[in-house]
Each structure stands twice: as C-alpha cells, then as structure tokens.
C-alpha cells in the first residue's frame, strides 16, 4: 500500500492530496505487468477506470477513420483515463505498451465507492481530477490557446525582455517573448500547436543542440540533461498546447523559436527543482538556444516538419493507389466508351480507367519522395547569416551528427552555410510536386463526377457511395460531395503553391524573412491534402460500383466503334459510315453490312468489344 501511495503522489493527477485521500484511492489499486505490444484499451470501448504508468512507455493513438495516428507517449507518473472518475464515457483513443510496463489500475466503481466513505476526500480527489482536466483544455491545441485561455486562473508571474515587463500566466510554460507574439500577431488564428509535426521538429533540433553542446563541454551536464528530457517530452506529444504563436508572424520565425526556447527552459527548470521563470538556472537564450539562431533553427525545423508530414501523405496516397488498383481488377470486364473532348472516342474497360488512376497516383508518390530528399540538407551551425558567429567551430558537424541520431534521418550539413541560410529553392520544388499531385487528384475527381453524373440524365456509368442528402429543396437528390471537397482542397493547394513561390522570391540578401508564410502554406497543403486523400479513399473509391448494362448500352449505340473497322475499310468509308449513323440513327454495324464493306464474320471480329480495348494485329 505504501509503495502505491508513494507512486500516486508522484502523479500530477494526485499531487497535493493528503495521505488519507491517497489511501482511499490506493486501497482500490491493482498492479499488473504487461509485455511490449500489449493493447491496454481501445478507442470506443467503455472506460472502466484510470491507469497509472509506474514503469515503461505507453503510446496513445487515435483513429479518425484513416488508421491510428500517435497522439502522445505516456511515461512513469502519467495517467490515462482519469475522465472516468467524473462521468461514464468511452475511450476516445487507444493505448498500447511500447515497452514492457508496470501499470496501476484504478477501477472507477471501486474508487468512487471508496471515496463515498469520506465526503471531504471525495471532494478533494474529484476537484483535483477536474482541475487537471481543465488545465489540459486550457492548453489544448486550439486557436484560442494563449492570451485568453492562459489567463483563466488569474495568477501570473513577471517576466522581462528588451521592451520591458509583462505578466505571464503562472501556469504557462511559455514566457514573455511568446506572449508578445500572441499580442502582436493575431493573424490566422492558427497556432503552431495546430501542426504537431512542427513542434516535434523544433524539439528535435533543440535536443540535438543540447547534446552537441554537452559533448563539446559548452553546456553543464545537469542543464543539458534537463533540456534533453524536456525536449523528449515534447517529442512524445506533451505540452503542445503551450505553443500559441500564430503560424504567420513577422521576424522570420523568431517568435516560434523563442516559444520553443521558453517552453523547454521552463520545463527543464522543473526537472532541476526550480520554478518556472527562474532563468538564471536555465535560460531560453543562453542555454536552450546556445550556438543557434532562429535563422538556422527555423528552416531546419521546417525541413523536418515537411518530411514528417509527407510520411502521412504518402501513406494516404498508398492506400488510395491500392483502392484504385482493387477497383481496376473489379471492373476489368466492364466494357464502356472512352471519351476525348467529352465526345465518344473508342471502347475501353472501366478497369483500364481505374488502373490509369492508380498508376498516376503512384507516379506522384515517386515524385514527392524524390523532391523530399532535398530537405535532408540543413544549415545548422550557420547561426545568423551562415558565418557561424557565436557557435563553436566544432558545433555544426556535431549538431548534425546528433540530429541524425534524434530523427533517424540521413541529414547532412550544407556545403556552404551562407548560401543555405536564405535559400528556399527546395520548398519551391517540393511545393510544385505537391501541387502536381493535387492537380492530378482533382482531375480524377472531375472524372468521377462526370462518370457518376445523372442518375438518369448524365453519363451514369458508375455509382458513388451516397454520403448525405444533396439538396434542401430537391427531394431525393444526392451529390458527389466527396470529389467536390477534394477539388476544393486542390484549389487551396494550388493557391498555397503560388504563395510559397512568392515567399521564396521575396528573400533578400542573407535571409528570407518570409519563411513563416511559406511554412504555414506548405504545412496547410500537406495536412489538408492528406485528409482529402484519406476521405476520398474511404468514403468514395472503396464504395464505387459500376452500372454494367448502362456502360455496354452506350458502347453499342456509339458511332465511335467505327474506328475499329477503319484499318480494314479505310478512313474515307469509315467517315461516311460515322456521318450517316449520326444523321440517321442507324447503328454502325447495320450500315456497314448494308454497304457490303465487310462480311458478317469479318465485322463480328472487327467490332469485338473486348478486342477493341487492346492492341491487335492489322490485316
């Protein structure tokens, strides 16, 4: 019992409670050990209680319909499922042991029954749970995180910078420079926290820098270790709500860099046994930002962000490609009319059409992978303009070596840091590849809308899954809403590409100060395009069906099949047949037989629908 009470006291959820209060909880606790890979709870299942991690690491992931995505990694002292003490609910995420773990399970009913024996204890415990959840919501990754929400407690601490003193929320990990940015840049309403990959990338850069400076003897070991631990927590998904700076800002990203410096410094101070804001013991600039400048940190983090976010997009596109190939196989025997310039062309199979979609998706995957390799070159150690001022001569190579270890990527140091610091050419090339993928995806959606048009008065060759009623006035109408939304995302990506191009062009001399709008535009394109591809795959492509009879009927009534007999009867005669068929409505087959251009046997061979969908020898 004493061991469990001691463990519970280390948890933020139960810190500050009396021994009596903790004892009521501890007597309901059950200890269990699980091997790595064990599923602890699943999204959508009822929450039966809370789980305290005593040893090991537990990954929390959420599935929004496109496969599980990691949200946060919990370690010793963290708790999952505490909401169950306040209300009956279901798990909004899934938990899995990443390593062998020791867990303390607290059954909801048992805990509440135990607390019923002491009203004051029940109030104390449940109030603490509610307060912890409230604080988590205050610093959730929402546009209003920061000024409005952070002041909710009313308690502040004084922090000073070049321009004077400000009252910073006491419970905020960020500091005065972040708060100035929140005041100065209420531009998009989109905080850095909206893009978790960006925050993780910043933490990885800072972690690599701390390790490099420690190796070089430039940073005291205890301070470096505290910074390292703080960075790892952020990499694991913690504290992201303390990054409220708007993605679009003046200063070439300085506000975002200082936001990271302040959050890491204040969390490191807690590891050192100090209070937030006691910067004499771990300073945002002197320690966390040692050997760095915004001008090498921000573009390096942006490169890593792009690589991380691209991974999700590529996974989504792989799933789309697989779904299209599956439809290609399913529709391999469905004969239909091909079209050029919206006019009848020659027969093909619906399977060939969907296979073409799959191939073009695969091509875009390759192009994105190729251009993304440009982001493996970074300018760390260049500091302000690439000359390396305020950085140890050994630092650039050392920090890049550490960054390779932290990220697992084959990162290399740019050959010329003065050239690399203002250069954004890689982003222009990559954004072009993203735009290409969006354009081709949009074209595919145009085709899906045409092929499904109708249902009675259009092409009507395929059926898209009905997702929602299509009109507030026309009963029974169902619209192709999924292809439509993908089209709109593509338009946004195309616009973002222009913004990125202009931002790259606007660089002057030794720095490009327009990188924040470049970062915002590219991250937005990757995030929305990934979502659009996932939605297209799961809510559209997977459920498409073919109107086989309609497809065949259109082929047999088309004059386009005359192209198949052109090599045998000649272009002039084929043209005459086509014109007469169009004018009179008499089928092509009947006209050719009337005119005696071919025997019935030869005509059957020439107009074989299956043969018309592939090359064949000309006699």
């Amino acid at each position: 019992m004493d061991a469990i009470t001691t463990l519970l006291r280390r948890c933020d959820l139960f810190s500050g409670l009396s021994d009596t209060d903790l004892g009521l909880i501890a007597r309901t606790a059950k200890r269990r050990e699980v091997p790595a890979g064990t599923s602890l709870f699943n999204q959508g299942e009822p929450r039966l209680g809370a789980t305290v991690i005593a040893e090991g690491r537990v990954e929390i992931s959420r599935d929004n319909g496109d496969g599980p995505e990691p949200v946060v990694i919990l370690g010793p002292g963290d708790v999952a499922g505490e909401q169950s003490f306040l209300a009956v609910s279901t798990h909004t995420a899934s938990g899995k042991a990443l390593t062998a773990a020791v867990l303390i399970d607290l059954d909801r009913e048992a805990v509440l029954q135990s607390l019923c024996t002491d009203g004051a204890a029940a109030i104390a415990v449940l109030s603490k749970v509610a307060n912890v959840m409230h604080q988590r919501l205050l610093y959730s990754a929402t546009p209003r995180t920061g000024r409005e929400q952070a002041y909710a407690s009313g308690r502040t601490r004084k922090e000073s910078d070049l321009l004077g003193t400000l009252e910073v929320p006491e419970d905020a990990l960020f500091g005065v420079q972040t708060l100035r940015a929140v005041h100065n840049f209420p531009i998009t309403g989109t905080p850095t926290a909206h893009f978790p990959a960006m925050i993780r990338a910043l933490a990885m850069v800072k972690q690599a820098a701390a390790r490099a400076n420690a190796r070089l003897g430039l940073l005291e070991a205890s301070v470096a270790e505290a910074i390292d631990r703080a960075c790892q927590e952020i990499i694991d998904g913690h504290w992201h709500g303390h990054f409220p700076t708007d993605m679009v800002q003046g200063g070439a990203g300085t506000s975002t860099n200082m936001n990271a410096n302040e959050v890491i410094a204040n969390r490191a101070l807690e590891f050192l046994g100090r209070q937030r804001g006691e910067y004499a013991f771990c300073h945002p600039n002197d320690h966390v930002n040692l050997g760095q400048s915004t001008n090498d940190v921000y573009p390096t983090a942006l490169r890593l962000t792009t690589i991380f976010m691209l991974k999700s997009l590529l996974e989504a596109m792989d799933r789309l490609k697989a779904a299209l190939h599956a439809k290609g196989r399913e529709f391999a025997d469905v004969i239909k009319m091909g079209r050029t310039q919206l006019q009848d062309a020659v027969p093909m199979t619906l399977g060939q059409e969907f296979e073409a979609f799959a191939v073009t998706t695969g091509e875009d995957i390759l192009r994105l992978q190729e251009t993304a390799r440009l982001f493996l070159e970074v300018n760390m150690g260049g500091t302000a303009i690439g000359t390396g001022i305020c950085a140890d001569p050994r630092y650039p190579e050392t920090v890049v070596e550490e960054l390779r270890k932290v990220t697992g990527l084959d990162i290399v140091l740019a050959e010329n840091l003065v050239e690399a610091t203002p250069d954004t050419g890689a982003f222009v090339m990559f954004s072009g590849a993203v735009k290409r993928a969006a354009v081709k995806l949009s074209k595919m959606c145009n085709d899906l809308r045409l092929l499904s048009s109708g249902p009675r008065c259009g092409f009507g060759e395929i059926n898209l899954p009905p997702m929602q009623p299509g009109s507030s006035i026309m009963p029974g109408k169902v619209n192709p809403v999924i292809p439509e939304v993908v089209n709109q995302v593509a338009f946004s990506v195309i616009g973002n590409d222009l913004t990125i191009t202009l931002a790259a062009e606007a660089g002057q001399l030794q720095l490009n100060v327009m990188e924040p709008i470049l970062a915002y535009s590219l991250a937005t394109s990757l995030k929305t395009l990934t979502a659009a591809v996932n939605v297209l795959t799961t809510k559209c492509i997977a459920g498409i069906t073919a109107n086989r009879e309609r497809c065949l009927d259109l082929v047999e009534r088309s004059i386009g099949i005359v192209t198949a007999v052109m090599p045998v009867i000649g272009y002039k005669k084929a043209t005459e047949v086509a014109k007469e068929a169009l004018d009179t409505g008499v089928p092509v087959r009947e006209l050719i037989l009337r005119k005696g251009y071919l025997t019935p046997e030869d005509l059957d061979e020439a107009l074989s629908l299956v043969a018309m969908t592939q090359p064949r020898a000309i006699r």
Side-chain angles (χ1 to χ4, degrees), residues 286-483:
D286 295 340
H287 299 111
V288 182
N289 201 61
L290 179 62
Q292 305 151 62
S293 162
T294 295
N295 303 345
D296 56 3
V297 167
Y298 190 82
T300 297
L302 180 51
R303 282 162 166 76
L304 297 180
T305 302
T306 305
I307 292 172
F308 297 154
M309 294 188 74
L310 176 61
K311 181 177 182 290
S312 296
L313 176 57
L314 293 178
E315 289 172 351
M317 292 180 71
D318 269 326
R319 289 190 291 269
L320 174 61
K321 184 178 74 169
L324 291 167
H325 275 309
K327 288 298 168 184
R329 293 188 295 271
E330 180 183 344
F331 301 147
D333 62 339
V334 180
I335 305 295
K336 60 156 287 179
M337 203 65 198
R339 299 176 181 86
T340 58
Q341 290 133 308
L342 294 180
Q343 306 301 303
D344 298 352
V346 296
M348 65 185 303
T349 68
L350 189 59
Q352 287 173 321
E353 198 159 23
F354 274 81
E355 282 293 340
F357 291 153
V359 170
T360 200
T361 301
E363 289 178 349
D364 286 324
I365 290 172
L366 292 175
R367 297 295 86 76
L368 288 166
Q369 290 172 328
E370 288 170 358
T371 51
R373 293 191 184 99
L374 297 170
F375 296 128
L376 294 174
E377 181 182 283
V378 302
N379 69 323
M380 285 301 294
T383 66
I385 63 171
T387 59
I389 190 172
C390 297
D392 188 283
R394 301 165 295 170
Y395 173 77
E397 291 288 353
T398 306
V399 73
V400 168
E401 181 182 333
E402 292 295 338
L403 196 54
R404 280 196 293 270
K405 296 176 185 176
V406 170
T407 62
L409 300 172
D410 295 326
I411 296 171
V412 298
L413 185 66
E415 183 177 343
N416 186 305
L417 297 181
V418 173
E419 182 277 335
T421 299
D423 180 43
T424 51
F427 294 104
V428 176
M429 289 186 65
F430 180 75
S431 177
V434 175
K435 179 181 73 172
R436 166 190 156 134
V439 167
K440 291 166 67 177
L441 195 66
S442 188
K443 187 270 181 190
M444 182 197 306
C445 288
N446 293 341
D447 291 351
L448 295 176
R449 290 164 58 203
L450 280 172
L451 295 174
S452 65
S453 60
R456 301 289 176 82
C457 302
F459 287 5
E461 294 182 346
I462 63 172
N463 305 302
L464 304 185
M467 300 309 300
Q468 62 188 58
S471 174
S472 61
I473 190 173
M474 293 173 280
K477 191 170 187 288
V478 178
N479 296 328
V481 292
I482 301 302

Side-chain angles (χ1 to χ4, degrees), residues 13-14 17 21 25 111 115 120-130:
L13 183 65
F14 302 119
L17 295 176
D21 298 343
I25 299 171
V111 169
L115 291 176
I123 292 173
V125 171
L126 297 181
S127 295
K128 187 65 193 291
V129 171

